[in-house]
Amino acid sequence: MKTLNFLSKRFLEQCKTVCVNRIVVDYQRFGFHDFKQNDTIFALSSGFGKCGVAVIRVSGDHTKQVIKEITGCKNLPKPRQAFVSKLRHPKTQVMLDRALVMWFSAPNSFTGEDICEFQVHGGPAVIASVLNALSSIKGLRPAAAGDYTKRAFLNNKLDLTEVEGLGDLIHAETEAQRRQALHQMEGSLSVLYKQWSKDLLKCTAHVEAYIDFSEDQGLHNDLLGNVKNEVKELLQKIRKHLLDKHRGEILRSGVRVAIVGEPNVGKSSLLNAIIQRPAAIVSPIAGTTRDVIETSLDIEGYPVLISDTAGLRDSSNAIEQEGIIRAHKKAEQADLVIFMVDGQNLKNDVNLEEFLVQHAFKLGIELSIRAENVVVIVNKTDLISSGLLSELESFKRFPIILLSCETFDGFSGFMNLFTKMVQSLCGVTALGEIPSVTQQRHRDHLTSCIEYLESSLNITEQDIVIAAEYLRMALNEIGKISGKVGAEEILDVIFKDFCIGK
Amino acid sequence: MTVMIKWLSSKLILRREKLLKLQRNLLHLSSAQTDEELYYDVIVVGGGHAGCEAAAASARVGARTLLLTHKIHKIGEMSCNPSFGGIGKGHLIKEIDALDGLCGRICDVSGIQYRMLNRRKGPAVWGPRAQIDRDLYRTNMQQEILNTTNLSVLEGSVEDLVIDELTGEERDVSTDTKCRCTGVVLKDGTKIGSKGVVLTAGTFLRGQINIGLEVRPAGRMGDAPAVGIAQTIEELGFTMGRLKTGTPPRITKKSVRFDKMKSYHGDDPPQPFSFENDQVWIESHDQLTCYTTFTKPGLAEIVRGTLHLNKHVKEEVNGPRYCPSIESKILKFNEEKYLLWLEPEGLDSDLLYLQGFGCTMPEEHQRKAVRMIDGMEQSVIAEPGYGVEYDYMDPRQVAPTLQTYKVLGLYFAGQINGTTGYEEAAAQGLIAGVNAARRVKGLKDFIVSRSEGYIGVLIDDLTTMGTNEPYRMFTSRSEFRMSLRPDNADQRLTIRGYHEGGCVSSQRYHKTTKRLNELQIATDLLKSTSKSVAAWRQLVGMKPAVVEKVLGKSGFEFLADCSYAECSIDPILSLFSELDCIRENYWLSERLKTESLYSVLLPKQQKEISALQSEEHLVIPSTIDYNALSVKMEVREKLAKARPQNIAAATRIPGVTPSALVQLLMHVKKLSREMI
């Protein structure tokens, strides 16, 4: 039992698969035979963070259907045989990844149900996209902590000698969950969810107080009206949060970056420097780049789609004009804009901010220089006077990058900033990564929460018990993110907020 | 030796056949007396609300039962408020009745005002409540108890329990079990043997009454506390705590000006508690009135000015949140005025119960305080309010059958487990009585799950989480409120109570089956009949809707609309001659509406219930050694203290981590395997 502690997690994963071959115990004997889980669950079964291969596991009645929908195969492949397949989003048919797929048919699987394992590439974006695709399939839900083990147990799949070994394994699993929970606990997100949970608890408690005590106790007059308003407010907050910056979508499709600026400021040179190969033709002639040059790359595990665009200027050349129109479009669609200027155009004692604003205006790009998703690069620092350089270096009003694509001076500083911005767009904060998987889970719970809150508002007039039920369900959903809320907590609020007594 | 039941109240008017039955009971007792040693299957100690239900339930299951009480004429005494039921509590009465318990039926012949609380809210939280005539209730309860087959009553004071060593088999039942209880010893030294003892001591265990600075030992006003038995329990090693509660002063009716108060009348028609009754004993227009009024601002001054003379309040640090004294309310909330209720104490009584005004200040100050109430400027106190302090057992020491883990055959029920309220006590009494009797007869335990009833919620909360303040039932304690309704308690419990509890008479069983069958037929029929909503609306005489959201509905679905609109469904029922039986029974047709109302969300709730039940099937053996789990010490301690009976209960214990649960799951599995 102890030796297992030293083994890698990957090996432990394999142990789980080995269990598949274990004895099927007499179902009847323990009286669990009638136990049937309805939902099909899915989760990332390998560890979080960047890794070579990630394993996503689906368990339940819908598994076969999931395989068909996501791999597009017409006939189900043989169980227990690995095969390579493209994975596609069942709704959009967008390709997600090429993966090694293997499934186990019930009852010969870890949980005793149909199980499918998708071994996908280990980037967070890929994982997120596959999890997202799975959650779009009806009847599937993200697994809660310990769900797989519980099902395995209930289906009599966990057994005697495995018990000890698996004890450690599950410990590892829950330990990871614990670490992860702790991780999130420190984040601002958790503070937010906790607050919502608290707000909603109060609403629920007040409705409960209305049900249990308004008849024979003097409660505040417009109790229900106030609750309704608070629920509406909360609804708005959650809705706004879910729409916030489309982080999930960005992560799924890659961060779109556009490099824009005048002709011949070094945009193509920057692109080539970032991707470390000469993808764009570089020449001293202004207007060399006429079309959009798009390249995808991996920045610290996050997908980035970077576009070099035609230099913006008034041009009479029809081809260049079209190129400029496309450049504008790219800039509008981009999640992140790199705005490049030629350092040689700057003079001593220049008001940099004013210059940039006017310059952007002149080029006809709508850009807020100080926006979070804009990087200003002053290129060709090797060609400007040292006096101007030191003047620019002392500019502190907002971050600018001083760079020479010729000498690569300042390039590492640029890459650092660039990486940070990409990460932040993908939901990584200074406090650490907010795991994309749990984010998906959060999104699911918050979406359900919104649904229940809306239902509660609709029904208040008719039957307060049903409205209260919806509130409890909404509270439960948030509870699945920030911690369970029980009846006792509700009563605590009731007795804190109201003077109740016979 | 002891006073036999020769005491018969002159108020007791027994009909001839009942008298005959009573004589049989007496006969039965005297034959026992001639035995060398007195012996009963089950002894119930205490004649309060828990004791009465326990004794009657045990007798119904078929065990020879003895009810031991200090004073027979105090059996069924309502020591505090003159009412039964309410929100949450009313649910309990309906469930007790569904299991053929007594209090619902007794209330139907003792009430002086019946009112359904929460009428404006959903029927799932309707709270059947009644003002009760104390004397009538006592009289009727005594008549019932003294006429129950298998049940004998004896007046006497229990001083001690007879404790024996465990037999070999019993030793294996649980690691916590130390000994077994085989009877009781009375004050005069008489030993009465039994296989089960249900202790329903109420507030009598080292009870004391507090008024002002004065403290006197008493279980309730005018009755001595039980000290000997408290010592015995302590010596057995039970963890005890101390709880406080109180009762308000009683006011002379003549001294109150009702014209300044808001009056509340009984319902017309009054709805009976018992599923067996179609109506209550009192005529609708004969019902008495209740009143509400408010305190005046000057009251706070009196309370604050007498704090130094008020021992109970000073010590009431963690006092009952659910029925705080007026002193506590003022000190804690400091509101301008407080709502009070004036309730009649009985049909002929000259007294009023001042609900919401529990107080423990010295009597002379109480006299001034009650005049600080609108309409009571000249009021006179007949009996002052007082505080009660008493011992209770940490209820985590009893199993869901209410048998103690430590002592086999010993059951605790009622206030002794830390609850407050007649209904909470009665519910526990019933469960303890049934299980004590079943154990004697070698039958399987009868446990109500929290998915089946408020009784289950009550006992599960107590036995897994314990309590440090008097526990009172609220509807918010139940997670399955839409399913656990007052109207369907019979459906939830009567059939099970008959087959698995053995505590329901076959007469009630057949009546219930018939009723449920009728409802089922009606539901099926209405579900299979669809019409346009406009047609349905026209049929019941509703105005056409401005905007029709749904075009067609089944008759069953449309009943929900009728429920919201509060219109009669008779025109719908008239469509089918099969439904005449429902149309003729107002309560049944109301019930059908309610079914429809919640049918939208019930499948969702049903799913949650099945999930809970499957976890409840994962029984944790009582022999489990929590030290064998590799979880944090504090979690282990929490588990050991709460002794969850199954995985579902374990998940509800605060502070038990998911990883601990997984461990527990595996441990359970391993143990059950080893046992096979």
Side-chain angles (χ1 to χ4, degrees):
Chain A
M1 170 174 173
K2 281 282 176 265
T3 52
L4 276 172
N5 283 333
F6 303 107
L7 298 175
S8 71
K9 183 141 180 108
R10 184 71 54 77
F11 177 75
L12 292 172
E13 272 300 327
Q14 285 164 5
C15 284
K16 277 191 191 174
T17 324
V18 172
C19 292
V20 164
N21 302 321
R22 297 307 307 191
I23 329 105
V24 183
V25 197
D26 182 3
Y27 278 58
Q28 312 289 325
R29 205 160 359 164
F30 299 112
F32 307 150
H33 56 285
D34 55 354
F35 187 80
K36 187 85 183 145
Q37 302 276 348
N38 294 319
D39 329 339
T40 296
I41 51 173
F42 66 90
L44 175 67
S45 293
S46 51
F48 294 102
K50 238 181 93 181
C51 46
V53 175
V55 179
I56 292 169
R57 199 152 48 173
V58 178
S59 173
D61 292 346
H62 290 76
T63 302
K64 285 180 209 156
Q65 182 206 335
V66 169
I67 300 171
K68 283 184 184 167
E69 282 197 27
I70 209 157
T71 66
C73 63
K74 294 217 169 59
N75 301 317
L76 212 58
K78 277 190 184 165
R80 306 167 159 273
Q81 275 187 17
F83 68 105
V84 179
S85 171
K86 286 178 185 171
L87 304 186
R88 288 182 189 278
H89 194 288
K91 299 268 146 54
T92 63
Q93 292 305 319
V94 170
M95 183 176 153
L96 309 168
D97 195 15
R98 282 170 76 83
L100 195 65
V101 183
M102 184 155 50
W103 76 285
F104 306 90
S105 65
N108 301 317
S109 72
F110 171 60
T111 56
E113 306 170 324
D114 282 345
I115 282 194
C116 184
E117 285 189 6
F118 298 99
Q119 301 186 10
V120 299
H121 293 99
V126 174
I127 296 169
S129 70
V130 176
L131 291 177
N132 190 57
L134 288 172
S135 73
S136 78
I137 300 174
K138 220 181 156 205
L140 261 64
R141 66 164 175 85
D147 254 2
Y148 285 101
T149 320
K150 191 167 146 196
R151 287 184 181 204
F153 178 80
L154 291 170
N155 290 325
N156 276 298
K157 301 300 294 186
L158 281 190
D159 200 49
L160 25 128
T161 49
E162 281 77 27
V163 167
E164 282 85 9
L166 278 168
D168 282 14
L169 176 66
I170 281 138
H171 230 59
E173 204 173 75
T174 46
E175 185 62 18
Q177 284 159 356
R178 189 192 63 77
R179 266 206 309 273
Q180 188 199 334
L182 199 71
H183 190 69
Q184 283 175 31
M185 287 289 286
E186 290 160 1
S188 53
L189 208 56
S190 141
V191 176
L192 189 67
Y193 293 160
K194 279 249 154 71
Q195 184 57 45
W196 289 348
S197 172
K198 218 170 130 191
D199 292 349
L200 191 49
L201 170 64
K202 197 164 172 148
C203 291
T204 312
H206 285 202
V207 171
E208 297 289 346
Y210 178 77
I211 290 175
D212 272 337
F213 304 106
S214 69
E215 198 81 357
D216 53 357
Q217 306 288 332
L219 296 186
H220 309 304
N221 281 336
D222 196 22
L223 195 63
L224 287 187
N226 291 341
V227 167
K228 240 181 149 164
N229 288 337
E230 273 176 46
V231 168
K232 276 184 195 157
E233 223 171 89
L234 189 61
L235 253 176
Q236 254 175 6
K237 283 187 202 161
I238 302 179
R239 283 201 195 110
K240 205 173 143 203
H241 173 75
L242 280 185
L243 291 175
D244 190 32
K245 289 186 183 169
H246 296 276
R247 278 201 197 102
E249 285 82 353
I250 289 176
L251 191 56
R252 207 156 55 234
S253 56
V255 180
R256 287 165 300 185
V257 181
I259 311 174
V260 294
E262 269 188 310
N264 213 8
V265 290
K267 297 185 293 293
S268 299
S269 301
L270 180 67
L271 174 77
N272 291 346
I274 293 173
I275 64 178
Q276 292 164 21
R277 65 185 166 86
I281 301 167
V282 178
S283 85
I285 304 163
T288 304
T289 307
R290 297 220 167 156
D291 200 356
V292 174
I293 296 175
E294 221 167 44
T295 314
S296 61
L297 70 156
D298 180 312
I299 300 278
E300 305 264 312
Y302 295 94
V304 173
L305 212 62
I306 192 160
S307 306
D308 178 24
T309 63
L312 306 171
R313 65 170 170 179
D314 287 327
S315 169
S316 50
N317 184 315
I319 299 173
E320 195 177 352
Q321 273 178 355
E322 177 58 27
I324 289 169
I325 291 170
R326 290 186 184 188
H328 278 296
K329 217 174 189 174
K330 276 292 158 197
E332 274 166 33
Q333 292 170 345
D335 302 311
L336 179 62
V337 175
I338 297 175
F339 184 41
M340 258 185 128
V341 294
D342 187 337
Q344 294 174 96
N345 292 342
L346 300 174
K347 297 187 177 64
N348 283 359
D349 296 327
V350 68
N351 180 336
L352 188 61
E353 186 168 5
E354 202 173 293
F355 170 83
L356 289 169
V357 170
Q358 282 180 2
H359 188 63
F361 183 75
K362 201 179 86 195
L363 298 178
I365 39 177
E366 280 180 36
L367 203 63
S368 153
I369 298 298
R370 284 181 185 232
E372 274 175 29
N373 63 339
V374 172
V375 187
V376 174
I377 293 183
V378 177
N379 191 19
K380 305 189 185 174
T381 49
D382 52 322
L383 299 178
I384 62 172
S385 68
S386 57
L388 178 62
L389 190 63
S390 61
E391 197 183 306
L392 291 174
E393 273 167 354
S394 62
F395 182 80
K396 290 281 182 278
R397 260 191 276 174
F398 51 87
I400 58 166
I401 295 290
L402 303 175
L403 182 71
S404 164
C405 290
E406 193 66 34
T407 62
F408 286 101
D409 271 347
F411 188 72
S412 63
F414 162 72
M415 280 310 282
N416 279 344
L417 179 71
F418 184 54
T419 309
K420 261 191 207 138
M421 291 179 92
V422 165
Q423 287 175 337
S424 115
L425 284 165
C426 292
V428 179
T429 66
L431 287 161
E433 183 177 347
I434 299 156
S436 51
V437 205
T438 41
Q439 263 212 26
Q440 183 58 49
R441 194 173 71 84
H442 291 178
R443 199 174 294 263
D444 287 347
H445 289 313
L446 289 175
T447 310
S448 310
C449 178
I450 287 180
E451 247 169 66
Y452 292 142
L453 287 179
E454 281 167 350
S455 304
S456 83
L457 284 178
N458 290 338
I459 204 89
T460 323
E461 311 301 329
Q462 296 179 315
D463 189 311
I464 189 71
V465 179
I466 298 178
E469 198 59 38
Y470 279 122
L471 281 183
R472 282 191 192 193
M473 291 196 273
L475 188 58
N476 234 334
E477 291 297 331
I478 291 200
K480 283 175 190 161
I481 307 174
S482 67
K484 205 171 143 188
V485 181
E488 203 46 43
E489 278 94 344
I490 295 177
L491 286 175
D492 280 342
V493 174
I494 294 179
F495 291 106
K496 206 175 103 263
D497 286 6
F498 302 104
C499 172
I500 282 161
K502 287 173 78 172
Chain B
M1 171 199 96
T2 39
V3 187
M4 282 291 134
I5 37 166
K6 57 192 169 199
W7 182 90
L8 280 174
S9 160
S10 54
K11 286 175 192 162
L12 261 175
I13 310 140
L14 294 178
R15 271 178 280 137
R16 177 177 280 266
E17 58 271 28
K18 286 205 171 167
L19 198 62
L20 282 171
K21 215 164 144 196
L22 178 62
Q23 280 167 347
R24 278 203 297 277
N25 272 3
L26 271 163
L27 210 69
H28 170 75
L29 234 186
S30 44
S31 72
Q33 197 186 11
T34 54
D35 291 348
E36 255 181 44
E37 193 182 281
L38 281 168
Y39 174 83
Y40 289 87
D41 291 336
V42 173
I43 298 174
V44 176
V45 182
H49 304 284
C52 287
E53 296 290 351
S58 165
R60 283 202 303 282
V61 174
R64 279 188 61 231
T65 309
L66 175 71
L67 176 65
L68 264 169
T69 174
H70 278 127
K71 295 168 185 166
I72 289 177
H73 69 276
K74 286 267 177 124
I75 286 177
E77 170 86 354
M78 298 165 67
S79 353
C80 195
N81 48 313
S83 68
F84 254 89
I87 300 159
K89 288 165 173 276
H91 288 68
L92 285 174
I93 301 184
K94 296 295 273 193
E95 291 177 6
I96 292 166
D97 180 68
L99 291 170
D100 228 349
L102 312 177
C103 63
R105 278 188 293 117
I106 307 292
C107 282
D108 284 347
V109 292
S110 317
I112 46 179
Q113 190 211 61
Y114 296 84
R115 207 156 71 84
M116 185 63 83
L117 301 189
N118 266 354
R119 179 67 88 179
R120 298 267 141 232
K121 293 158 204 157
V125 293
W126 283 0
R129 185 179 189 277
Q131 298 302 140
I132 307 284
D133 183 303
R134 290 179 196 281
D135 296 336
L136 268 177
Y137 191 88
R138 224 176 22 232
T139 311
N140 288 322
M141 181 57 92
Q142 285 164 18
Q143 184 174 334
E144 178 78 30
I145 289 289
L146 296 175
N147 284 291
T148 301
T149 323
N150 286 334
L151 176 59
S152 310
V153 183
L154 201 62
E155 206 167 74
S157 174
V158 175
E159 273 300 296
D160 205 350
L161 300 172
V162 184
I163 300 295
D164 272 342
E165 280 186 14
L166 293 176
T167 63
E169 286 168 31
E170 288 168 342
R171 235 168 253 134
D172 299 331
V173 172
S174 162
T175 45
D176 304 305
T177 310
K178 306 284 180 249
C179 51
R180 62 197 177 107
C181 178
T182 54
V184 298
V185 184
L186 302 186
K187 205 165 197 168
D188 63 1
T190 316
K191 255 193 194 177
I192 310 176
S194 76
K195 278 205 183 120
V197 172
V198 182
L199 198 58
T200 67
T203 60
F204 280 66
L205 289 185
R206 283 193 282 233
Q208 70 179 50
I209 282 178
N210 301 332
I211 308 182
L213 295 175
E214 187 191 337
V215 176
R216 57 182 117 129
R220 109 187 114 202
M221 205 52 116
D223 288 304
V227 180
I229 189 83
Q231 239 159 31
T232 307
I233 293 169
E234 195 165 38
E235 279 160 19
L236 284 167
F238 285 102
T239 309
M240 302 165 97
R242 205 124 169 99
L243 285 178
K244 290 188 183 208
T245 181
T247 192
R250 313 299 198 265
I251 310 293
T252 311
K253 204 182 256 177
K254 285 179 293 209
S255 66
V256 177
R257 287 192 54 194
F258 295 114
D259 54 338
K260 287 191 165 183
M261 302 179 181
K262 194 175 167 194
S263 56
Y264 288 81
H265 303 281
D267 289 340
D268 185 12
Q271 185 169 346
F273 286 94
S274 176
F275 288 99
E276 295 288 277
N277 296 330
D278 292 327
Q279 57 191 52
V280 297
W281 75 292
I282 198 168
E283 289 296 327
S284 183
H285 56 264
D286 288 337
Q287 296 182 91
L288 300 191
T289 310
C290 291
Y291 301 89
T292 55
T293 183
F294 288 96
T295 60
K296 293 179 181 180
L299 177 64
E301 215 174 296
I302 298 182
V303 167
R304 292 215 165 81
T306 56
L307 271 187
H308 63 291
L309 302 171
N310 202 332
K311 180 181 182 299
H312 195 82
V313 166
K314 268 195 287 182
E315 291 172 357
E316 201 184 61
V317 193
N318 285 319
R321 293 186 298 179
Y322 314 137
C323 42
S325 59
I326 191 75
E327 291 102 323
S328 299
K329 286 194 235 182
I330 284 171
L331 296 176
K332 207 170 147 196
F333 288 97
N334 200 22
E335 282 178 22
E336 203 175 302
K337 54 183 187 177
Y338 298 89
L339 179 78
L340 301 173
W341 286 81
L342 278 158
E343 301 172 10
E345 289 253 319
L347 216 43
D348 308 315
S349 169
D350 182 39
L351 298 184
L352 293 169
Y353 180 88
L354 188 53
Q355 199 217 84
F357 206 84
C359 59
T360 58
M361 60 180 83
E363 193 176 334
E364 62 271 27
H365 294 283
Q366 286 188 30
R367 293 190 187 287
K368 284 181 215 147
V370 294
R371 298 193 167 193
M372 288 294 174
I373 298 170
D374 292 333
M376 291 180 58
E377 291 79 1
Q378 303 299 319
S379 64
V380 176
I381 287 183
E383 292 162 23
Y386 58 88
V388 185
E389 254 186 86
Y390 54 96
D391 282 349
Y392 81 110
M393 306 297 132
D394 181 343
R396 286 173 294 188
Q397 301 171 100
V398 295
T401 54
L402 299 181
Q403 181 173 218
T404 64
Y405 289 111
K406 277 206 169 68
V407 185
L408 272 188
L410 180 64
Y411 295 73
F412 291 155
Q415 242 167 328
I416 189 172
N417 283 332
T419 59
T420 171
Y422 308 144
E423 304 80 358
E424 288 85 348
Q428 293 173 63
L430 187 140
I431 295 295
V434 168
N435 281 295
R438 292 183 68 81
R439 182 173 165 270
V440 172
K441 301 180 77 140
L443 299 168
K444 217 179 141 221
D445 294 342
F446 177 70
I447 292 164
V448 177
S449 150
R450 56 189 300 134
S451 63
E452 288 173 318
Y454 279 67
I455 295 181
V457 174
L458 168 79
I459 293 179
D460 182 69
D461 277 354
L462 288 173
T463 56
T464 55
M465 312 220 264
T467 185
N468 50 17
E469 62 186 328
Y471 178 104
R472 184 177 144 193
M473 185 46 73
F474 309 111
T475 69
S476 45
R477 292 195 190 273
S478 162
E479 54 271 66
F480 307 117
R481 193 159 51 190
M482 288 182 303
S483 321
L484 310 185
R485 304 190 308 265
D487 65 281
N488 67 4
D490 58 341
Q491 189 182 342
R492 293 182 273 123
L493 295 171
T494 304
I495 310 298
R496 249 204 91 204
Y498 177 74
H499 290 297
E500 295 168 43
C503 58
V504 174
S505 74
S506 64
Q507 192 193 356
R508 183 189 279 259
Y509 170 74
H510 291 302
K511 238 175 124 179
T512 307
T513 322
K514 183 170 164 278
R515 184 165 55 232
L516 296 180
N517 204 23
E518 285 168 0
L519 282 169
Q520 191 57 50
I521 289 170
T523 309
D524 293 344
L525 212 52
L526 291 172
K527 271 186 180 166
S528 62
T529 312
S530 288
K531 281 183 196 295
S532 73
V533 174
W536 285 124
R537 292 182 76 98
Q538 199 187 2
L539 183 66
V540 297
M542 274 192 230
K543 280 186 205 142
V546 186
V547 190
E548 293 281 8
K549 282 187 195 151
V550 196
L551 293 177
K553 267 187 185 177
S554 79
F556 184 70
E557 284 172 298
F558 185 71
L559 293 188
D561 298 39
C562 300
S563 180
Y564 290 136
E566 289 178 48
C567 71
S568 164
I569 60 167
D570 282 359
I572 298 177
L573 298 175
S574 306
L575 293 177
F576 311 93
S577 60
E578 298 97 312
L579 303 187
D580 285 352
C581 51
I582 301 229
R583 194 159 47 86
E584 281 153 17
N585 187 327
Y586 174 72
W587 310 122
L588 276 191
S589 71
E590 286 293 298
R591 198 167 152 177
L592 214 49
K593 276 200 230 174
T594 307
E595 271 307 322
S596 163
L597 192 62
Y598 295 109
S599 61
V600 200
L601 272 176
L602 276 185
K604 200 171 170 66
Q605 189 146 94
Q606 198 50 50
K607 212 171 156 186
E608 283 169 35
I609 290 179
S610 339
L612 173 81
Q613 284 174 344
S614 68
E615 283 181 358
E616 280 178 345
H617 282 146
L618 297 170
V619 176
I620 302 172
S622 53
T623 47
I624 191 167
D625 177 10
Y626 287 103
N627 291 321
L629 298 184
S630 58
V631 294
K632 271 198 218 138
M633 187 64 154
E634 56 192 272
V635 177
R636 211 181 298 158
E637 277 172 3
K638 276 178 183 146
L639 284 167
K641 201 156 197 181
R643 263 173 283 237
Q645 294 286 303
N646 51 54
I647 294 294
T651 59
R652 281 190 294 276
I653 300 167
V656 172
T657 58
S659 109
L661 284 174
V662 171
Q663 289 243 350
L664 202 56
L665 263 169
M666 292 193 294
H667 201 75
V668 168
K669 175 69 176 294
K670 201 174 150 196
L671 284 178
S672 51
R673 222 190 136 72
E674 278 167 3
M675 280 196 282
I676 298 162

